[in-house]
Coordinates of all heavy atoms in Angstrom, one line a residue:
M1 N 53.6 41.7 132.1 CA 52.6 42.1 133.0 C 53.2 43.3 133.9 O 52.6 44.3 134.1 CB 52.2 40.9 133.9 CG 50.9 41.2 134.6 SD 49.5 41.7 133.5 CE 48.5 42.5 134.6
L2 N 54.4 43.0 134.3 CA 55.1 44.1 135.2 C 55.2 45.3 134.4 O 54.9 46.4 134.8 CB 56.4 43.6 135.6 CG 57.1 44.4 136.7 CD1 56.3 44.5 137.9 CD2 58.5 43.9 137.0
I3 N 55.7 45.2 133.1 CA 55.9 46.3 132.2 C 54.5 47.1 132.1 O 54.5 48.3 132.2 CB 56.4 45.9 130.9 CG1 57.8 45.4 131.1 CG2 56.4 47.1 129.9 CD1 58.4 44.6 129.9
A4 N 53.5 46.3 131.9 CA 52.1 47.0 131.7 C 51.8 47.8 132.9 O 51.3 48.9 132.8 CB 51.1 45.9 131.4
C5 N 52.1 47.3 134.1 CA 51.7 48.0 135.3 C 52.5 49.2 135.5 O 52.0 50.3 135.8 CB 52.0 47.1 136.6 SG 50.9 45.7 136.7
Q6 N 53.8 49.1 135.1 CA 54.7 50.3 135.2 C 54.2 51.4 134.3 O 54.2 52.6 134.6 CB 56.1 50.0 134.9 CG 56.8 49.3 136.1 CD 58.1 48.7 135.7 OE1 58.4 48.5 134.5 NE2 59.0 48.4 136.7
E7 N 53.7 51.0 133.1 CA 53.3 52.0 132.1 C 52.0 52.7 132.6 O 51.8 53.9 132.4 CB 53.0 51.3 130.8 CG 54.3 51.4 130.0 CD 54.2 50.7 128.6 OE1 53.1 50.3 128.3 OE2 55.3 50.5 128.0
T8 N 51.1 51.9 133.2 CA 49.9 52.5 133.8 C 50.2 53.5 134.8 O 49.7 54.6 134.9 CB 49.0 51.4 134.4 OG1 48.7 50.4 133.4 CG2 47.7 51.9 134.9
A9 N 51.2 53.2 135.7 CA 51.6 54.1 136.8 C 52.2 55.4 136.1 O 51.9 56.5 136.6 CB 52.6 53.5 137.7
K10 N 52.9 55.2 135.1 CA 53.5 56.4 134.4 C 52.4 57.2 133.8 O 52.4 58.4 134.0 CB 54.5 55.9 133.4 CG 55.3 57.0 132.8 CD 56.5 56.4 132.0 CE 57.1 57.5 131.1 NZ 56.2 57.9 130.0
Q11 N 51.5 56.6 133.1 CA 50.4 57.3 132.5 C 49.7 58.1 133.5 O 49.3 59.3 133.3 CB 49.4 56.4 131.8 CG 49.9 55.9 130.4 CD 48.9 54.9 129.8 OE1 48.3 54.1 130.5 NE2 48.6 55.0 128.5
Q12 N 49.4 57.5 134.7 CA 48.6 58.2 135.7 C 49.4 59.5 136.2 O 48.8 60.5 136.5 CB 48.3 57.3 136.8 CG 47.0 57.6 137.5 CD 46.1 56.4 137.8 OE1 46.5 55.3 137.5 NE2 45.0 56.6 138.4
D13 N 50.7 59.3 136.3 CA 51.5 60.5 136.7 C 51.5 61.6 135.7 O 51.5 62.8 136.0 CB 53.0 60.1 136.8 CG 53.2 59.3 138.1 OD1 52.4 59.3 139.0 OD2 54.3 58.6 138.2
D14 N 51.4 61.3 134.4 CA 51.3 62.3 133.3 C 50.0 63.1 133.3 O 49.9 64.0 132.6 CB 51.5 61.6 132.0 CG 53.0 61.1 131.8 OD1 53.8 61.6 132.6 OD2 53.2 60.3 130.9
L15 N 49.0 62.6 134.0 CA 47.7 63.2 133.9 C 47.7 64.6 134.3 O 46.9 65.4 133.7 CB 46.7 62.4 134.8 CG 46.2 61.1 134.4 CD1 45.2 60.5 135.3 CD2 45.6 61.2 133.0
S16 N 48.5 65.1 135.2 CA 48.4 66.4 135.7 C 48.7 67.5 134.6 O 48.2 68.6 134.7 CB 49.5 66.6 136.8 OG 50.7 66.1 136.4
S17 N 49.3 67.0 133.5 CA 49.6 68.0 132.4 C 48.4 68.0 131.4 O 48.5 68.7 130.4 CB 50.9 67.6 131.7 OG 50.8 66.3 131.2
Q18 N 47.3 67.3 131.6 CA 46.2 67.2 130.7 C 45.0 68.0 131.1 O 44.9 68.3 132.3 CB 45.8 65.7 130.5 CG 46.9 64.8 130.0 CD 46.4 63.4 129.9 OE1 45.4 63.0 130.4 NE2 47.2 62.6 129.1
T19 N 44.1 68.3 130.2 CA 42.9 69.0 130.5 C 42.0 68.0 131.2 O 42.2 66.8 131.1 CB 42.1 69.5 129.3 OG1 41.7 68.4 128.5 CG2 43.0 70.4 128.4
P20 N 41.0 68.5 132.0 CA 40.1 67.5 132.7 C 39.4 66.5 131.7 O 39.4 65.3 132.0 CB 39.0 68.4 133.3 CG 39.7 69.7 133.5 CD 40.7 69.8 132.4
A21 N 39.0 67.0 130.5 CA 38.4 66.1 129.5 C 39.4 65.0 129.1 O 39.1 63.8 129.0 CB 37.9 66.8 128.3
E22 N 40.7 65.4 128.9 CA 41.7 64.4 128.5 C 42.0 63.5 129.7 O 42.2 62.3 129.4 CB 43.0 65.2 128.1 CG 42.9 65.9 126.8 CD 44.1 66.8 126.6 OE1 44.9 67.1 127.5 OE2 44.3 67.3 125.4
Q23 N 42.0 64.0 130.9 CA 42.2 63.1 132.0 C 41.1 62.0 132.1 O 41.4 60.9 132.3 CB 42.2 63.9 133.3 CG 43.5 64.8 133.4 CD 43.4 65.6 134.7 OE1 42.9 65.3 135.7 NE2 44.0 66.8 134.6
G24 N 39.8 62.5 131.9 CA 38.7 61.5 132.0 C 38.9 60.5 130.9 O 38.7 59.3 131.2
A25 N 39.3 60.9 129.7 CA 39.5 59.9 128.6 C 40.6 59.0 128.9 O 40.5 57.8 128.6 CB 39.7 60.7 127.3
S26 N 41.7 59.5 129.5 CA 42.9 58.6 129.8 C 42.5 57.6 130.9 O 42.8 56.4 130.7 CB 44.0 59.4 130.3 OG 44.5 60.3 129.4
L27 N 41.8 58.1 131.9 CA 41.4 57.2 133.0 C 40.5 56.1 132.4 O 40.6 54.9 132.8 CB 40.7 57.9 134.1 CG 41.6 58.9 134.9 CD1 40.8 59.9 135.7 CD2 42.5 58.0 135.8
Y28 N 39.6 56.5 131.6 CA 38.6 55.5 131.0 C 39.4 54.5 130.1 O 39.2 53.3 130.3 CB 37.6 56.3 130.1 CG 36.6 55.3 129.4 CD1 35.5 54.9 130.1 CD2 36.9 54.8 128.2 CE1 34.7 53.9 129.5 CE2 36.0 53.9 127.6 CZ 34.9 53.5 128.3 OH 34.1 52.6 127.7
S29 N 40.4 54.9 129.3 CA 41.2 54.0 128.5 C 41.9 53.0 129.4 O 42.0 51.8 129.1 CB 42.2 54.8 127.7 OG 41.5 55.6 126.7
M30 N 42.5 53.5 130.5 CA 43.3 52.7 131.4 C 42.5 51.7 132.1 O 42.9 50.5 132.3 CB 44.0 53.6 132.4 CG 45.3 54.2 131.9 SD 46.0 55.0 133.3 CE 45.6 56.7 133.0
H31 N 41.3 52.1 132.6 CA 40.6 51.2 133.6 C 39.3 50.7 133.1 O 38.7 49.8 133.8 CB 40.3 52.1 134.9 CG 41.6 52.6 135.5 ND1 42.6 51.8 135.9 CD2 42.0 53.9 135.8 CE1 43.6 52.5 136.4 NE2 43.2 53.8 136.3
C32 N 38.7 51.2 132.1 CA 37.3 50.8 131.7 C 37.3 50.2 130.3 O 36.5 49.3 130.0 CB 36.4 52.0 131.7 SG 36.6 53.1 133.1
A33 N 38.2 50.6 129.4 CA 38.0 50.3 128.0 C 38.3 48.8 127.7 O 37.7 48.3 126.7 CB 39.0 51.1 127.1
Q34 N 39.0 48.1 128.6 CA 39.2 46.7 128.3 C 37.9 45.9 128.4 O 37.8 44.8 127.7 CB 40.3 46.1 129.2 CG 39.9 45.9 130.7 CD 40.3 47.1 131.6 OE1 40.3 48.2 131.1 NE2 40.6 46.8 132.8
C35 N 37.0 46.3 129.1 CA 35.7 45.7 129.1 C 34.6 46.4 128.3 O 33.8 45.8 127.6 CB 35.1 45.5 130.5 SG 36.1 44.4 131.5
H36 N 34.6 47.7 128.4 CA 33.6 48.5 127.7 C 33.9 49.0 126.3 O 33.0 49.5 125.6 CB 33.2 49.7 128.6 CG 32.5 49.3 129.9 ND1 31.2 49.0 129.9 CD2 32.9 49.2 131.1 CE1 30.8 48.7 131.1 NE2 31.8 48.8 131.9
G37 N 35.2 49.0 126.0 CA 35.7 49.5 124.6 C 35.8 51.0 124.7 O 35.1 51.7 125.5
E38 N 36.6 51.5 123.8 CA 36.9 53.0 123.8 C 35.6 53.7 123.5 O 35.4 54.8 124.0 CB 37.9 53.3 122.7 CG 39.3 52.9 123.0 CD 39.9 53.6 124.2 OE1 39.4 54.7 124.6 OE2 40.9 53.0 124.8
D39 N 34.7 53.1 122.7 CA 33.4 53.8 122.4 C 32.3 53.4 123.4 O 31.1 53.8 123.2 CB 33.0 53.6 121.0 CG 32.8 52.1 120.7 OD1 33.0 51.2 121.6 OD2 32.5 51.8 119.5
G40 N 32.6 52.5 124.4 CA 31.6 52.1 125.3 C 30.7 50.9 124.9 O 29.9 50.4 125.7
K41 N 31.0 50.4 123.7 CA 30.1 49.4 123.1 C 30.6 48.0 123.1 O 29.9 47.1 122.6 CB 29.7 49.8 121.7 CG 29.0 51.1 121.5 CD 28.7 51.4 120.1 CE 28.3 52.8 119.9 NZ 28.1 53.3 118.6
L42 N 31.8 47.8 123.6 CA 32.5 46.5 123.4 C 31.7 45.4 124.1 O 31.5 44.3 123.5 CB 33.9 46.6 124.0 CG 34.8 45.3 123.8 CD1 35.0 45.0 122.4 CD2 36.1 45.5 124.5
G43 N 31.3 45.6 125.3 CA 30.6 44.5 126.0 C 31.3 43.3 126.3 O 30.8 42.2 126.4
A44 N 32.7 43.4 126.6 CA 33.4 42.2 127.0 C 33.1 41.8 128.4 O 32.7 42.6 129.2 CB 34.9 42.5 126.9
S45 N 33.1 40.5 128.7 CA 32.7 39.9 130.0 C 31.3 40.4 130.4 O 31.0 40.6 131.6 CB 33.7 40.4 131.1 OG 35.0 40.5 130.8
G46 N 30.4 40.5 129.4 CA 29.1 40.9 129.7 C 28.9 42.4 130.1 O 27.8 42.7 130.7
A47 N 29.8 43.2 129.8 CA 29.7 44.6 130.2 C 28.6 45.3 129.4 O 28.3 44.9 128.3 CB 31.1 45.4 129.9
R48 N 28.0 46.3 130.1 CA 26.9 47.0 129.4 C 27.4 48.0 128.4 O 28.4 48.6 128.6 CB 26.0 47.7 130.5 CG 25.3 46.9 131.4 CD 24.1 46.2 130.7 NE 23.7 45.0 131.4 CZ 23.0 44.9 132.5 NH1 22.4 46.0 133.0 NH2 22.7 43.8 133.1
D49 N 26.6 48.2 127.4 CA 26.9 49.3 126.4 C 26.7 50.6 127.0 O 25.5 51.0 127.3 CB 25.9 49.1 125.2 CG 26.2 50.1 124.0 OD1 26.9 51.1 124.3 OD2 25.8 49.8 122.9
L50 N 27.7 51.4 127.2 CA 27.6 52.7 127.9 C 27.0 53.7 127.0 O 26.5 54.7 127.5 CB 29.0 53.1 128.4 CG 29.7 52.2 129.4 CD1 31.0 52.7 129.9 CD2 28.8 51.9 130.6
S51 N 27.0 53.5 125.7 CA 26.5 54.6 124.8 C 25.0 54.6 124.9 O 24.4 55.6 124.5 CB 27.0 54.4 123.4 OG 26.4 53.3 122.8
T52 N 24.4 53.5 125.3 CA 22.9 53.5 125.4 C 22.4 53.5 126.9 O 21.2 53.4 127.1 CB 22.3 52.2 124.7 OG1 22.9 51.1 125.3 CG2 22.7 52.2 123.2
S53 N 23.3 53.6 127.8 CA 23.0 53.6 129.2 C 22.1 54.8 129.6 O 22.4 55.9 129.1 CB 24.2 53.6 130.1 OG 23.9 53.6 131.4
K54 N 21.1 54.6 130.4 CA 20.2 55.7 130.8 C 20.4 56.0 132.3 O 19.6 56.7 132.9 CB 18.8 55.3 130.5 CG 18.5 54.9 129.1 CD 17.8 56.1 128.3 CE 17.4 55.6 127.0 NZ 18.4 55.1 126.1
L55 N 21.4 55.4 132.9 CA 21.5 55.6 134.4 C 21.8 57.0 134.8 O 22.4 57.8 134.1 CB 22.7 54.7 134.9 CG 22.5 53.2 134.8 CD1 23.7 52.5 135.3 CD2 21.3 52.8 135.5
S56 N 21.3 57.4 136.0 CA 21.6 58.7 136.6 C 23.1 58.8 137.0 O 23.7 57.7 137.2 CB 20.7 58.9 137.7 OG 21.0 58.0 138.8
D57 N 23.5 60.0 137.2 CA 24.9 60.2 137.8 C 25.1 59.4 139.1 O 26.1 58.7 139.3 CB 25.2 61.7 138.1 CG 25.3 62.5 136.8 OD1 25.1 61.9 135.7 OD2 25.6 63.7 136.9
Q58 N 24.1 59.5 139.9 CA 24.1 58.8 141.2 C 24.3 57.3 141.1 O 25.2 56.7 141.7 CB 22.8 59.0 142.0 CG 22.8 59.9 143.2 CD 24.2 60.5 143.5 OE1 24.6 61.5 142.9 NE2 24.8 60.1 144.5
D59 N 23.6 56.7 140.1 CA 23.7 55.2 139.9 C 25.0 54.9 139.3 O 25.6 53.9 139.7 CB 22.5 54.8 138.9 CG 21.2 54.8 139.6 OD1 21.1 54.8 140.9 OD2 20.2 54.8 138.9
I60 N 25.5 55.7 138.4 CA 26.8 55.4 137.8 C 27.9 55.5 138.8 O 28.8 54.6 138.9 CB 27.1 56.4 136.6 CG1 26.1 56.2 135.5 CG2 28.5 56.3 136.1 CD1 26.2 57.3 134.4
L61 N 27.9 56.5 139.7 CA 28.9 56.7 140.7 C 28.8 55.5 141.6 O 29.9 54.9 142.0 CB 28.6 57.9 141.5 CG 28.9 59.2 140.8 CD1 28.5 60.4 141.6 CD2 30.4 59.4 140.4
H62 N 27.6 55.0 141.9 CA 27.5 53.8 142.8 C 28.2 52.6 142.2 O 28.9 51.9 142.8 CB 26.0 53.6 143.1 CG 25.8 52.5 144.1 ND1 25.9 52.7 145.4 CD2 25.6 51.1 143.9 CE1 25.7 51.5 146.1 NE2 25.5 50.6 145.2
I63 N 27.9 52.4 140.9 CA 28.5 51.2 140.2 C 30.0 51.3 140.1 O 30.7 50.3 140.3 CB 27.8 51.1 138.8 CG1 26.4 50.6 138.9 CG2 28.6 50.0 137.9 CD1 25.6 50.6 137.6
I64 N 30.5 52.5 139.8 CA 32.0 52.7 139.7 C 32.6 52.4 141.1 O 33.6 51.7 141.2 CB 32.3 54.1 139.3 CG1 31.9 54.3 137.8 CG2 33.8 54.4 139.4 CD1 32.1 55.8 137.3
K65 N 32.0 52.8 142.2 CA 32.6 52.7 143.5 C 32.4 51.2 144.0 O 33.3 50.7 144.7 CB 32.0 53.7 144.5 CG 32.4 55.1 144.2 CD 31.8 56.0 145.2 CE 32.2 57.5 144.8 NZ 31.5 58.5 145.7
K66 N 31.2 50.7 143.8 CA 30.9 49.4 144.4 C 31.0 48.2 143.5 O 31.0 47.0 143.9 CB 29.5 49.4 145.0 CG 29.2 50.5 145.9 CD 29.8 50.2 147.3 CE 29.5 51.4 148.2 NZ 30.3 51.4 149.4
G67 N 31.0 48.5 142.1 CA 31.0 47.4 141.2 C 29.6 46.9 141.0 O 28.7 47.2 141.8
K68 N 29.4 46.0 140.0 CA 28.0 45.4 139.8 C 28.2 44.1 139.0 O 28.9 44.1 138.0 CB 27.1 46.3 139.1 CG 25.7 45.8 139.0 CD 24.8 46.8 138.3 CE 23.4 46.2 138.2 NZ 22.7 46.6 137.0
G69 N 27.7 43.0 139.5 CA 27.8 41.7 138.7 C 29.3 41.4 138.5 O 30.1 41.4 139.4
A70 N 29.6 41.3 137.2 CA 31.0 40.9 136.8 C 31.9 42.1 136.8 O 33.1 42.0 136.5 CB 31.0 40.3 135.4
M71 N 31.4 43.3 137.0 CA 32.3 44.5 137.1 C 32.8 44.7 138.5 O 32.0 44.9 139.4 CB 31.5 45.7 136.6 CG 32.3 47.0 136.7 SD 31.5 48.4 136.0 CE 32.3 49.7 136.8
P72 N 34.1 44.7 138.7 CA 34.6 44.9 140.0 C 34.6 46.4 140.4 O 34.4 47.3 139.6 CB 36.1 44.5 139.9 CG 36.4 44.6 138.5 CD 35.1 44.5 137.7
S73 N 34.7 46.7 141.7 CA 34.7 48.1 142.1 C 36.0 48.7 141.5 O 37.0 48.2 141.5 CB 34.9 48.1 143.7 OG 35.3 49.4 144.1
M74 N 35.8 50.0 141.1 CA 36.9 50.7 140.4 C 37.5 51.8 141.3 O 38.3 52.6 140.9 CB 36.4 51.3 139.1 CG 36.0 50.4 138.1 SD 37.5 49.6 137.3 CE 37.0 47.9 137.2
K75 N 37.0 51.8 142.6 CA 37.3 52.9 143.5 C 38.9 52.9 143.7 O 39.5 54.0 143.6 CB 36.6 52.6 144.8 CG 36.5 53.8 145.7 CD 35.6 53.5 146.9 CE 35.2 54.6 147.7 NZ 36.0 55.4 148.5
A76 N 39.5 51.8 144.0 CA 40.9 51.8 144.4 C 41.7 52.2 143.2 O 42.7 52.9 143.3 CB 41.3 50.4 144.9
L77 N 41.3 51.7 142.0 CA 42.1 52.0 140.8 C 42.0 53.5 140.4 O 43.0 54.1 140.0 CB 41.6 51.2 139.6 CG 42.1 49.7 139.6 CD1 41.3 49.0 138.5 CD2 43.6 49.6 139.3
L78 N 40.9 54.1 140.6 CA 40.7 55.5 140.2 C 41.2 56.4 141.3 O 41.4 57.6 141.0 CB 39.2 55.8 139.9 CG 38.7 55.1 138.7 CD1 37.2 55.3 138.5 CD2 39.4 55.6 137.4
E79 N 41.4 55.9 142.5 CA 42.1 56.6 143.6 C 41.4 57.7 144.2 O 41.3 57.8 145.5 CB 43.5 57.1 143.1 CG 44.4 55.9 142.8 CD 45.8 56.4 142.3 OE1 45.9 57.5 141.8 OE2 46.8 55.6 142.5
T80 N 40.8 58.6 143.5 CA 40.2 59.8 144.1 C 38.8 60.0 143.6 O 38.4 59.6 142.4 CB 41.0 61.1 143.8 OG1 41.0 61.3 142.4 CG2 42.4 61.0 144.4
D81 N 38.0 60.7 144.3 CA 36.6 61.1 143.9 C 36.7 62.0 142.7 O 35.9 62.0 141.8 CB 35.9 61.9 145.0 CG 35.2 60.9 146.0 OD1 35.1 59.7 145.7 OD2 34.9 61.4 147.1
Q82 N 37.8 62.8 142.6 CA 37.9 63.7 141.5 C 38.1 62.9 140.2 O 37.5 63.1 139.2 CB 39.2 64.6 141.7 CG 39.3 65.7 140.7 CD 40.6 66.4 140.7 OE1 41.4 66.1 141.6 NE2 40.9 67.2 139.7
N83 N 38.9 61.8 140.3 CA 39.1 60.9 139.1 C 37.8 60.2 138.7 O 37.5 60.1 137.6 CB 40.2 59.9 139.4 CG 41.6 60.5 139.3 OD1 41.8 61.6 138.8 ND2 42.6 59.7 139.8
I84 N 37.1 59.8 139.7 CA 35.8 59.1 139.5 C 34.8 60.1 138.7 O 34.2 59.7 137.8 CB 35.2 58.6 140.8 CG1 36.0 57.5 141.4 CG2 33.7 58.2 140.6 CD1 35.6 57.0 142.7
N85 N 34.8 61.4 139.2 CA 34.0 62.3 138.5 C 34.4 62.6 137.1 O 33.6 62.8 136.2 CB 33.9 63.6 139.3 CG 32.9 63.4 140.5 OD1 31.8 63.0 140.3 ND2 33.4 63.8 141.7
L86 N 35.7 62.6 136.8 CA 36.2 62.8 135.5 C 35.8 61.7 134.5 O 35.4 61.9 133.4 CB 37.8 62.9 135.5 CG 38.4 64.1 136.1 CD1 39.9 64.0 136.3 CD2 38.1 65.4 135.2
V87 N 35.8 60.4 135.1 CA 35.4 59.3 134.3 C 33.9 59.3 134.0 O 33.4 59.1 132.9 CB 35.8 57.9 135.0 CG1 35.1 56.8 134.3 CG2 37.3 57.8 135.0
L88 N 33.2 59.8 135.1 CA 31.7 59.9 134.9 C 31.4 60.9 133.8 O 30.6 60.6 132.9 CB 31.1 60.5 136.2 CG 29.6 60.9 136.2 CD1 28.7 59.7 135.9 CD2 29.3 61.6 137.5
S89 N 32.1 62.0 133.7 CA 31.8 63.0 132.6 C 32.2 62.3 131.3 O 31.4 62.5 130.3 CB 32.7 64.2 132.7 OG 32.6 64.8 134.0
H90 N 33.3 61.6 131.3 CA 33.7 61.0 130.0 C 32.7 60.0 129.5 O 32.3 60.0 128.3 CB 35.0 60.3 130.1 CG 35.5 59.7 128.9 ND1 36.0 60.4 127.8 CD2 35.5 58.4 128.4 CE1 36.3 59.6 126.8 NE2 36.0 58.4 127.2
I91 N 32.2 59.1 130.3 CA 31.2 58.1 129.8 C 29.9 58.7 129.4 O 29.2 58.2 128.6 CB 31.1 56.9 130.8 CG1 30.4 57.2 132.1 CG2 32.4 56.2 131.0 CD1 30.1 56.0 132.9
K92 N 29.5 59.8 130.1 CA 28.3 60.4 129.6 C 28.4 61.1 128.2 O 27.5 61.1 127.5 CB 27.8 61.5 130.7 CG 27.2 60.7 131.9 CD 26.9 61.6 133.0 CE 25.8 62.5 132.6 NZ 25.6 63.6 133.7
G93 N 29.7 61.4 127.9 CA 30.0 61.9 126.6 C 29.9 60.8 125.5 O 29.9 61.1 124.3
L94 N 29.9 59.6 125.9 CA 29.9 58.5 125.0 C 28.4 58.2 124.5 O 28.2 57.5 123.6 CB 30.4 57.2 125.6 CG 31.9 57.2 126.0 CD1 32.3 55.9 126.7 CD2 32.8 57.4 124.8
R95 N 27.5 58.8 125.3 CA 26.1 58.5 124.9 C 25.7 59.2 123.6 O 26.2 60.3 123.3 CB 25.2 59.1 126.1 CG 25.3 58.2 127.3 CD 24.4 58.7 128.4 NE 24.6 57.9 129.6 CZ 23.9 58.1 130.7 NH1 23.0 59.1 130.8 NH2 24.1 57.4 131.8
R96 N 24.7 58.6 122.9 CA 24.3 59.3 121.7 C 23.0 60.0 121.9 O 22.3 59.8 122.8 CB 24.2 58.3 120.5 CG 24.3 56.9 121.0 CD 24.0 55.9 119.9 NE 23.9 54.6 120.5 CZ 23.7 53.5 119.9 NH1 23.6 53.5 118.6 NH2 23.6 52.4 120.5
Ligands
HEC1 C1 36.2 43.6 134.2 C2 35.3 44.3 133.2 C3 34.9 45.7 133.5 C4 35.6 46.8 133.8 C5 37.1 46.9 133.9 C6 34.7 47.9 133.9 N1 33.4 47.4 133.8 FE1 31.7 48.6 133.8 N2 30.6 46.9 133.6 C7 31.1 45.6 133.5 C8 30.0 44.7 133.5 C9 30.1 43.2 133.4 C10 28.8 45.4 133.7 C11 27.3 44.9 133.8 C12 27.0 44.7 135.3 C13 25.6 44.1 135.5 O1 24.7 44.8 135.2 O2 25.5 43.0 135.9 C14 29.2 46.8 133.7 C15 28.3 47.9 133.9 C16 28.7 49.2 134.0 C17 27.8 50.3 134.1 C18 26.3 50.2 134.1 C19 25.7 50.5 132.7 C20 24.2 50.3 132.7 O3 23.5 51.1 132.0 O4 23.7 49.4 133.3 C21 28.5 51.5 134.1 C22 28.0 52.9 134.2 C23 29.9 51.0 134.0 N3 30.0 49.7 133.9 C24 31.0 51.9 134.0 C25 32.3 51.5 134.1 C26 33.4 52.4 134.3 C27 33.3 53.9 134.3 C28 34.6 51.7 134.3 C29 36.0 52.1 134.6 C30 36.2 53.0 135.7 C31 34.2 50.3 134.2 N4 32.8 50.2 134.1 C32 35.0 49.2 134.2 C33 32.4 45.3 133.3 C34 33.5 46.1 133.5

């Protein structure tokens, strides 16, 4: 568990060398994919399928910051509004 945490911290440090799209994808893999899956469709712990989500940017930002049902707030993990916006762009790219 400790090792996993250290790796996450390291990955987050490495983000500065990535493009914004890559940063969004990395942040999503680190913080969202365990419930939503890399493609958004996993649905673990009752998570919604992000590829069919029709929510507005405003609603998505609200859910990321405040959480909803079994989804905890992701604000502390994502750290900055900039990171939150990168993840927002990434998950909208998962829509078909
Ligand atoms: C612990 C598991 C878990 C994690 C981690 C998680 N989610 Fe969720 N997510 C859920 C669950 C459960 C729901 C359904 C909430 C409900 O409607 O009751 C959900 C719903 C959502 C929705 C609403 C989709 C819709 O159309 O209703 C969005 C958007 C979303 N998550 C984005 C994210 C993002 C972005 C991250 C990472 C920053 C993330 N989630 C991390 C479990 C998780």
Side-chain angles (χ1 to χ4, degrees):
M1 198 53 204
L2 189 60
I3 293 165
C5 291
Q6 283 169 341
E7 272 176 8
T8 303
K10 188 168 166 289
Q11 276 178 325
Q12 208 140 359
D13 284 344
D14 289 343
L15 285 183
S16 48
S17 61
Q18 299 180 344
T19 66
E22 287 169 347
Q23 291 176 30
S26 297
L27 290 164
Y28 179 85
S29 295
M30 278 186 259
H31 301 303
C32 318
Q34 72 266 35
C35 291
H36 289 284
E38 290 295 338
D39 58 4
K41 297 179 193 175
L42 181 64
S45 325
R48 292 289 156 82
D49 183 343
L50 299 180
S51 72
T52 57
S53 176
K54 305 260 188 303
L55 292 180
S56 67
D57 289 6
Q58 249 6 71
D59 287 342
I60 293 171
L61 289 174
H62 186 82
I63 290 174
I64 292 175
K65 288 180 186 172
K66 305 285 179 195
K68 188 177 177 215
M71 176 172 157
S73 165
M74 294 286 137
K75 198 174 190 298
L77 282 171
L78 291 174
E79 294 179 335
T80 60
D81 278 344
Q82 192 193 349
N83 284 347
I84 291 174
N85 282 311
L86 289 170
V87 171
L88 170 67
S89 311
H90 180 76
I91 66 174
K92 286 174 64 191
L94 299 175
R95 292 183 181 181
R96 5 172 195 186

